[in-house]
Structure formats: structure tokens, C-alpha cells
């Protein structure tokens, strides 16, 4: 920032330079007016360049739950509870190129009257925090990122807590997009090592005939330095007759036996086909799924099974409560892999 005295000297010097031709010879007023306009524009640009306008928003989730559940078991009583969940974002847009986002989470309350401590005395935590960079057709995120998933949260789910430390990128082309990320959850010398793994993921999506989307994906993990896990998938989304949407994929998996403690490597395949129709405000769907499995759990597996979040999501809504509920009974559900035991 320039002090006021210096600025006044600059203005005086500019004025002398502008008026000096008038003292030496006759100059028409129109020429002088044009010079003053140029000076005004130059000063306006300099002033605008020094101003920084930030766009700050505060989106969030505010949920109050009241529920009663009968487990239909002789040795268990009904679950009756009231729970509060607050997730508050602070999003700052510095420019069209650079943004930041932080989400704070107030955990489940165990005392709804006096305080907001949860059962583990961890009242407020950071759920995600990332820096976003975007230029032309390139977008990058870095930090604790709620990573994108293209298979209806069957591989991993940001809604159910998979916000890993990673670098995530999107590259858009004319008729296609490449999505990728690299996760590293090896924090070094720590007491908690059971969550240590690296995770590489790539999606390639191609739009065909402006209607049909084909997606090819590879997901690769190195789990606890014990072995590797891999999923390969191919997905199609396309409209059919009578306003019916068709969504289907086939996915394979392979996991080293050292991760699971089985005699052989785990291998499997999963298939999904879904027909959706929206008619007069009502959504209906027909869903068919299959996942191969074995008695020792060495069948089809997904990354969720190694992230300790495998009990929190099932695609159908029959195996689990589909939306986020913050209830005490949603942890009893399954995902489509059924932990390698198979599911139809």
C-alpha cells in the first residue's frame, strides 16, 4: 500500500506531464480529454487489482432423529432414542480458480439437555477439509476429500465416512471425462495402524449419442502392507422406451489371501441391472443383483470391506436404511459383497 504523500506526488507529476504541452504549444482540448480518460482507466484498473472479493457460504446438514425399533429378539429390548447431528460447512471462494471447504461435525449426543458430548467425548470433529483448484477443463482437490463414486456407493461411500487424505482430479474432454484419485492412509509412527492402506482409483466415462454413458473403472488397494485388492468394472447408463432409465454394471474383484487369512486368494464377480421409471411424481424401480461368494469369505469383495465401513451401506434399501439416518440400528446392514460370502 502506498502512503498518501507519495500518491499526491504521483498525481502532481502526471498533471505536469499532461499540461506541459499546453505551455509549449497550443493543444486542442479534445486531445487533453482523451489523455485524462486513459489515466482514469489506468487508475481504475490498478484499484480493482488491489481489491479482493471473497465469496463465503455456510451450507450444512441439520438433522434431528426420533425413532423406535423392535429388534424382535427375546434378549433385546426396543430401541427408543432421540439424536442430534449437525454438520456445518465453511466454504470460501477466492476466485473462479481457487476455493476451500471445511466441514465440522457435531457427533451423536449422549446428553441432549446439558451438553453435546458424544459417547467417546469427541464432541466436534473435522469431517472433510480440502483445497480446490479449477482451470479450464481441469479440476483438482487435495486434503480430506469426499471422493466421487460412480457405482451408487457400492465401492466406497463419502456419505458413510470415506473422506480420505488424497489428491483427486477431473479432466473433461469433448465427449468424455477422466476421474482419478490417490489415497494414502499411512500416517507413519502411530498406535492405530489397522486403517493403513493406499488406494488408487481411475474412472473413464464416455458419452455416446448424447444419451448413453459408458464407464470403465479400476480400483486398486494395498492393504496394511499384507497384500493387494483390486476391482475392475464396466457400467452402462441409457434411456429406454417409455421413459425408462436402464443402469447396469459388471464388476470383478481379486484379493490376496494374506489380507483375509484364507487358504486361497479371494476372487469374485458382481452384476447389477436396474430399471427406473418416473410417472406422475412416483418413482418405481426393478433391481436385480448378484455377487459370488464362498463360505470362508473369499468371494467378491469391494473396498468398503477393508475400510471398516462395510456394514453401513447396501444398494437396495432392503439390506440397509438407504438415507443417512444417524440411528442405532443402521449398523446391522450389509453391502452387496456380503463380506465375500455372496449375495443374491
Amino acid at each position: 500500500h502506498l502512503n498518501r504523500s507519495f500518491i499526491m506526488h504521483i498525481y502532481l507529476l502526471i498533471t505536469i506531464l499532461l499540461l506541459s504541452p499546453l505551455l509549449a504549444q497550443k493543444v486542442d482540448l479534445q486531445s487533453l480529454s482523451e489523455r485524462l480518460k486513459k489515466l482514469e482507466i489506468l487508475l481504475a484498473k490498478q484499484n480493482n487489482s488491489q481489491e479482493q472479493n471473497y465469496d463465503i457460504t455456510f451450507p450444512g446438514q441439520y438433522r434431528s432423529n426420533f425413532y423406535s425399533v423392535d429388534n424382535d429378539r427375546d434378549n433385546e429390548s426396543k430401541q427408543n432414542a432421540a439424536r442430534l447431528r449437525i454438520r456445518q460447512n465453511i466454504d470460501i471462494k477466492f476466485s473462479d480458480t481457487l476455493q476451500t471447504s471445511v466441514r465440522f461435525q457435531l457427533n451423536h449426543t449422549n446428553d441432549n439437555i446439558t451438553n453435546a458430548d458424544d459417547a467417546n467425548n469427541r464432541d466436534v470433529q473435522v469431517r472433510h477439509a480440502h483445497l480446490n483448484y479449477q482451470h479450464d477443463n481441469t479440476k483438482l482437490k487435495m486434503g480430506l476429500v469426499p471422493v466421487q463414486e460412480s457405482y451408487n456407493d457400492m465401492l466406497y461411500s463419502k456419505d458413510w465416512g470415506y473422506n480420505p487424505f488424497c489428491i483427486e482430479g477431473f479432466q473433461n474432454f469433448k465427449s468424455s471425462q477422466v476421474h482419478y484419485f490417490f489415497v494414502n492412509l499411512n500416517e507413519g509412527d502411530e498406535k492405530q495402524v489397522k486403517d493403513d492402506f493406499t488406494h488408487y482409483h481411475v474412472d473413464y466415462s464416455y458419452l455416446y449419442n448424447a444419451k448413453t454413458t459408458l464407464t470403465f473403472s479400476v480400483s486398486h488397494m494395498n492393504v496394511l502392507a499384507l497384500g493387494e485388492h483390486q476391482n475392475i468394472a464396466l457400467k452402462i447408463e441409457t434411456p429406454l422406451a417409455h421413459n425408462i432409465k436402464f443402469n447396469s454394471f459388471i464388476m470383478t474383484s481379486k484379493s490376496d489371501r494374506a489380507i483375509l487369512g484364507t487358504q486361497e486368494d479371494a476372487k469374485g464377480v458382481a452384476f447389477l441391472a436396474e430399471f427406473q421409471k418416473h410417472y406422475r411424481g412416483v418413482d418405481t424401480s426393478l433391481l436385480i443383483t448378484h455377487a459370488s461368494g464362498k463360505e470362508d469369505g473369499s468371494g467378491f469383495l469391494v473396498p468398503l470391506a477393508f475400510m471398516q465401513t462395510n456394514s453401513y451401506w447396501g444398494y437396495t434399501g432392503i439390506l440397509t436404511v438407504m438415507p443417512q439416518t444417524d440411528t442405532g440400528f443402521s449398523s446391522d446392514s450389509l453391502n452387496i459383497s456380503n463380506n465375500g460370502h455372496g449375495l443374491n
Side-chain angles (χ1 to χ4, degrees):
H1 298 282
L2 302 176
N3 59 45
R4 187 173 298 177
S5 176
F6 182 78
I7 293 176
M8 292 301 296
H9 281 82
I10 294 295
Y11 276 120
L12 180 60
L13 177 60
I14 293 174
T15 303
I16 294 174
L17 292 175
L18 288 172
L19 294 179
S20 58
L22 292 176
L23 301 177
Q25 56 183 356
K26 294 182 179 181
V27 177
D28 62 285
L29 294 178
Q30 183 178 358
S31 176
L32 178 59
S33 177
E34 291 177 355
R35 293 188 184 186
L36 289 174
K37 287 182 179 180
K38 291 180 180 180
L39 175 61
E40 182 180 356
I41 294 173
L42 179 63
L43 292 175
K45 289 182 177 180
Q46 181 178 3
N47 185 47
N48 291 336
S49 65
Q50 293 177 354
E51 294 181 357
Q52 294 182 344
N53 296 320
Y54 301 147
D55 184 9
I56 304 178
T57 56
F58 301 91
Q61 298 176 4
Y62 310 91
R63 301 201 295 268
S64 297
N65 294 306
F66 306 89
Y67 64 90
S68 177
V69 179
D70 187 352
N71 292 314
D72 195 23
R73 296 174 182 172
D74 295 335
N75 59 341
E76 292 186 12
S77 59
K78 290 185 178 181
Q79 297 184 39
N80 301 300
R83 285 189 173 185
L84 172 68
R85 168 78 81 190
I86 296 177
R87 291 171 177 163
Q88 181 63 62
N89 278 37
I90 302 177
D91 298 339
I92 305 176
K93 182 179 180 181
F94 297 98
S95 64
D96 292 336
T97 302
L98 187 64
Q99 299 93 33
T100 62
S101 178
V102 179
R103 168 169 287 187
F104 297 96
Q105 173 173 291
L106 176 68
N107 288 325
H108 292 309
T109 57
N110 63 351
D111 190 336
N112 291 328
I113 299 177
T114 60
N115 60 60
D117 292 336
D118 73 351
N120 298 316
N121 294 320
R122 297 177 298 179
D123 353 352
V124 180
Q125 293 178 306
V126 175
R127 184 168 177 84
H128 66 233
H130 51 89
L131 180 69
N132 303 339
Y133 171 82
Q134 185 168 353
H135 180 69
D136 294 335
N137 296 321
T138 301
K139 185 176 182 179
L140 295 173
K141 296 182 179 182
M142 182 177 68
L144 301 176
V145 182
V147 290
Q148 176 178 294
E149 202 267 1
S150 301
Y151 296 86
N152 303 88
D153 285 3
M154 294 179 59
L155 284 171
Y156 47 88
S157 174
K158 62 184 178 183
D159 289 335
W160 291 110
Y162 193 53
N163 304 286
F165 178 65
C166 74
I167 297 177
E168 181 180 32
F170 301 83
Q171 184 66 48
N172 294 321
F173 302 96
K174 184 177 180 180
S175 300
S176 62
Q177 182 191 69
V178 177
H179 164 246
Y180 57 92
F181 63 76
F182 165 62
V183 171
N184 190 340
L185 292 185
N186 184 358
E187 294 88 353
D189 186 12
E190 56 167 341
K191 296 180 180 179
Q192 181 79 4
V193 296
K194 64 181 181 179
D195 66 341
D196 286 353
F197 61 83
T198 56
H199 185 190
Y200 303 85
H201 185 88
V202 177
D203 296 311
Y204 176 75
S205 299
Y206 177 75
L207 181 62
Y208 179 73
N209 285 341
K211 295 181 180 180
T212 301
T213 302
L214 298 173
T215 302
F216 176 74
S217 305
V218 176
S219 199
H220 183 88
M221 299 179 65
N222 189 316
V223 183
L224 296 172
L226 295 175
E228 298 179 346
H229 168 80
Q230 181 174 276
N231 288 99
I232 299 177
L234 180 64
K235 178 181 180 180
I236 181 172
E237 298 173 282
T238 188
L240 302 178
H242 307 292
N243 295 322
I244 297 176
K245 295 181 180 179
F246 176 67
N247 164 35
S248 180
F249 71 77
I250 185 169
M251 184 183 300
T252 65
S253 76
K254 182 179 182 300
S255 311
D256 289 342
R257 59 181 180 270
I259 305 174
L260 305 171
T262 56
Q263 294 183 353
E264 297 181 354
D265 292 342
K267 296 180 181 180
V269 62
F271 168 80
L272 178 144
E274 183 177 21
F275 300 86
Q276 298 176 324
K277 183 176 178 60
H278 180 82
Y279 181 71
R280 293 185 178 182
V282 178
D283 292 321
T284 58
S285 65
L286 173 64
L287 180 66
I288 302 170
T289 65
H290 167 77
S292 63
K294 296 182 180 180
E295 291 185 0
D296 61 354
S298 61
F300 175 79
L301 289 164
V302 291
L304 279 175
F306 306 103
M307 299 169 184
Q308 300 153 45
T309 59
N310 58 297
S311 62
Y312 292 99
W313 182 258
Y315 182 85
T316 62
I318 299 173
L319 304 175
T320 183
V321 182
M322 185 169 286
Q324 299 181 58
T325 60
D326 296 322
T327 57
F329 59 86
S330 59
S331 61
D332 298 328
S333 52
L334 299 170
N335 64 67
I336 192 175
S337 75
N338 195 15
N339 294 334
H341 295 280
L343 188 66
N344 291 318

